[in-house]
């Protein structure tokens, strides 16, 4: 009975649903399902072939994506593209190559047009939901275009400071002097003041110290200038100064000024702080 109904109606899914919900016996329902599957075997086989082909394309595509990423990285390295730009481009390339692969698989399965339609209709909603992320993306592009800093620079921004480790699509990573990693949204970085302490080749060392009013200022100046001329990391061709920066009620505030290569800045700073204390004590000059 069920078989006759299904045959007359063209063996559609509606027929299958109607047959399974009817009062027929279990044997009749099983027989109908077998007959239905046999009648649809060509369609099912074609579908399974499509699925198998899509899986095969996906697996091969994954290997092609990896190859393309390596090729992109080698191309940029060969042309000595800046490290920050390389990281940024590779982040985009990884997303882009995988999206292309997903769309290819979707078209094979016959749902490509549906995915495009869904993505298009959802575009506005996604854009509104990802306003912050889009701001960070735009910030990353601005950083790479305007180049206020690059990977390896030591910067101060948004209340933090450190050496730039990477400039990614949405975030900039800094490494602090005590080896902590700070992750800052690119939108925040571009909206704040940025102090780049390593962009220039030379940096001026300025060390403040204080002596008593009874100190011989000319003697202090002579002793410390001699110390600076003995320090090989100071740029000897550039100006060196020992000046009075402020007259406080109980002491004379002074400042040592000299130039050094940016890479040597902290070494000179720490070394000179120690040497100033030692040599002033040796010359019986009291520091306050």
């Amino acid at each position: 009975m069920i078989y006759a109904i299904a045959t007359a109606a063209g063996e559609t899914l509606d027929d299958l649903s109607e047959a399974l919900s009817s009062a027929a016996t279990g044997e009749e329902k099983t027989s109908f399902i077998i007959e239905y599957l046999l009648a649809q075997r060509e369609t099912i086989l074609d579908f399974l072939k499509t699925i198998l082909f899509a899986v095969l394309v996906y697996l091969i595509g994954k290997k092609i994506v990896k190859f393309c990423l390596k090729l992109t990285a080698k191309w940029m390295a060969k042309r000595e593209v800046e490290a920050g730009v390389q990281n940024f481009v590779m982040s985009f390339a990884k997303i882009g190559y995988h999206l292309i692969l997903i769309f290819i698989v979707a078209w094979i399965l016959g749902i490509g047009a549906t995915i495009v339609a869904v993505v298009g209709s959802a575009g506005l909603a996604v854009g509104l939901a990802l306003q912050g992320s889009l701001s960070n993306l735009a910030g990353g592009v601005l950083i790479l275009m305007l180049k206020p800093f690059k990977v390896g620079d030591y910067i101060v921004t948004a209340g933090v400071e450190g050496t730039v480790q990477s400039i990614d699509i949405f975030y900039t990573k800094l490494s602090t002097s005590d080896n902590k990693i700070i992750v800052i949204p690119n939108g925040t970085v571009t909206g704040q003041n940025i102090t780049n302490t390593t962009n220039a080749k030379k940096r001026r060392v300025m060390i403040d110290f204080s002596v008593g009013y009874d100190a011989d200022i000319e003697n202090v100046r002579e002793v410390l200038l001699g110390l600076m001329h003995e320090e090989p990391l100071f740029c000897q061709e550039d100006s060196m100064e020992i000046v009075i920066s402020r007259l406080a009620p109980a002491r004379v505030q002074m400042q040592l000024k000299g130039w050094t290569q940016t890479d040597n800045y902290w070494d000179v700073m720490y070394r000179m702080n120690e040497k100033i204390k030692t040599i002033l004590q040796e010359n019986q000059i009291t520091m306050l």
Side-chain angles (χ1 to χ4, degrees):
M1 179 182 66
I2 297 177
Y3 179 74
I5 295 173
T7 303
E11 298 179 351
T12 63
L13 286 175
D14 290 336
D15 300 326
L16 178 61
S17 178
E18 181 182 346
L20 293 177
S21 61
S22 69
T25 65
E27 291 182 0
E28 289 180 318
K29 290 181 179 180
T30 302
S31 176
F32 175 77
I33 292 173
I34 292 173
E35 293 290 342
Y36 178 82
L37 292 176
L38 288 174
Q40 301 294 327
R41 60 183 178 276
E42 291 186 6
T43 303
I44 293 173
L45 285 174
D46 289 341
F47 178 71
L48 291 176
K49 288 178 182 178
T50 302
I51 291 291
L52 183 60
F53 181 62
V55 171
L56 187 62
V57 169
Y58 178 77
L59 294 176
I60 295 174
K62 288 281 287 183
K63 295 184 180 297
I64 294 175
V65 166
K66 289 182 179 179
F67 175 75
C68 290
L69 288 172
K70 289 181 180 179
L71 203 64
T72 304
K74 288 181 179 179
W75 181 83
M76 290 189 292
K78 186 177 180 180
R79 284 158 179 75
E80 299 181 350
V81 177
E82 185 184 318
V85 177
Q86 289 190 37
N87 292 336
F88 197 86
V89 171
M90 288 304 295
S91 298
F92 259 117
K94 187 175 182 179
I95 294 174
Y97 292 153
H98 280 94
L99 281 177
I100 292 173
L101 176 59
I102 290 171
F103 275 109
I104 290 174
V105 172
W107 280 107
I108 292 173
L109 294 174
I111 58 174
T114 303
I115 290 180
V116 171
V118 170
V119 171
S121 61
L124 180 60
V126 172
L128 292 174
L130 298 178
Q131 285 186 56
S133 296
L134 293 176
S135 174
N136 293 333
L137 175 61
V141 173
L142 287 174
I143 290 172
L144 292 175
M145 288 178 59
L146 301 178
K147 296 183 179 180
F149 57 83
K150 61 184 183 297
V151 173
D153 285 351
Y154 191 95
I155 66 171
V156 181
T157 183
V160 297
E161 59 183 280
T163 303
V164 180
Q165 294 295 307
S166 65
I167 305 169
D168 298 326
I169 293 181
F170 300 113
Y171 300 98
T172 293
K173 294 182 181 178
L174 305 183
S175 175
T176 64
S177 57
D178 57 348
N179 209 27
K180 295 177 182 176
I181 299 297
I182 301 175
V183 181
I184 315 174
N186 288 333
T188 301
V189 175
T190 54
Q192 299 284 330
N193 293 331
I194 302 172
T195 302
N196 190 332
T197 64
T198 53
N199 190 45
K201 293 182 179 179
K202 291 182 181 180
R203 190 173 175 186
R204 197 171 196 181
V205 177
M206 296 188 292
I207 301 176
D208 295 311
F209 62 97
S210 300
V211 297
Y213 270 93
D214 59 343
D216 185 339
I217 300 300
E218 285 303 321
N219 183 39
V220 173
R221 183 175 287 114
E222 182 180 348
V223 168
L224 293 184
L225 283 174
L227 183 65
M228 294 176 71
H229 285 297
E230 293 173 1
E231 173 54 58
L233 294 183
F234 270 121
C235 298
Q236 300 295 326
E237 70 276 9
D238 293 321
S239 63
M240 298 180 183
E241 297 178 279
I242 308 295
V243 299
I244 296 176
S245 58
R246 183 169 176 266
L247 295 175
R251 61 192 173 200
V252 178
Q253 294 185 357
M254 303 190 70
Q255 191 174 68
L256 175 149
K257 298 181 181 181
W259 293 89
T260 187
Q261 297 295 322
T262 299
D263 292 341
N264 299 327
Y265 177 82
W266 290 110
D267 290 337
V268 174
M269 175 68 76
Y270 296 142
R271 188 184 304 179
M272 289 303 297
N273 272 319
E274 184 175 342
K275 287 185 176 182
I276 289 171
K277 177 182 181 299
T278 301
I279 199 168
L280 290 182
Q281 286 180 338
E282 290 176 353
N283 285 269
Q284 298 181 345
I285 300 172
T286 303
M287 294 183 64
L288 300 176

